[in-house]
Amino acid sequence: MSKLSGLGCKAVIFVEFVPVTDESKDLAPGDKEREYLKGEIERLRKEHPEMVYISFPGDEKSSGGCVAAGRGFFHINSHGGAEPCPFSPYSDINVRDTSLKEAMNSRLFRELRDGGYLLEDHPGGCTLYERRTDVERIMADSNR
Ligand code: SF4
């Protein structure tokens, strides 16, 4: 980190492995690994306070849950589709046809936020992956 700091780095992002198949579920960090990462990031925050550290999805716990679907951010895919998160690649609106504000309030995003899907604790990995059948149901409903 000293080297990065010396080079002028201002932000470091740690991205955990997020499984999007049942076969890769076991590769997600468990509680022990996540606690270790959390401890290391706390250490870095003390030793190098000149930089900002973001842990994804590790910081979700302190944010009260999943921050996708416009709760904290959303993802725009290469075709312009606004998706809750890169790990939840569903879209019912395209930013080529709407404003970002409208995209933030797409039916899918609103249902995920208002339906409480983002606030549940999860054992590692990804809330919306765990709830993908609900996400697919909302998508199917909005296509009717
Ligand atoms: S969709 Fe999954 S990976 Fe993305 S912010 Fe929510 S919990 Fe994290």
Side-chain angles (χ1 to χ4, degrees), residues 12-108:
V12 180
I13 303 174
F14 293 89
V15 181
E16 292 170 27
F17 176 77
V18 177
V20 288
T21 62
D22 281 336
E23 295 74 36
S24 58
K25 220 171 162 181
D26 292 343
L27 298 174
D31 285 344
K32 202 172 155 196
E33 289 90 1
R34 289 182 140 196
E35 277 308 308
Y36 177 78
L37 179 61
K38 194 174 150 204
E40 285 299 289
I41 293 174
E42 277 165 14
R43 180 178 63 75
L44 290 169
R45 281 182 176 137
K46 279 187 199 128
E47 288 176 8
H48 292 281
E50 70 279 16
M51 292 190 282
V52 171
Y53 302 90
I54 298 158
S55 176
F56 177 79
D59 284 341
E60 286 167 10
K61 234 183 178 106
S62 56
S63 309
C66 169
V67 286
R71 187 169 171 257
F73 73 92
F74 65 93
H75 178 247
I76 300 171
N77 67 28
S78 58
H79 303 290
E83 303 172 336
C85 172
F87 301 107
S88 182
Y90 301 91
S91 177
D92 64 349
I93 200 162
N94 195 298
V95 296
R96 289 187 298 200
D97 309 320
T98 62
S99 66
L100 289 177
K101 199 171 172 183
E102 280 171 305
M104 283 257 301
N105 288 301
S106 76
R107 181 174 169 187
L108 173 62

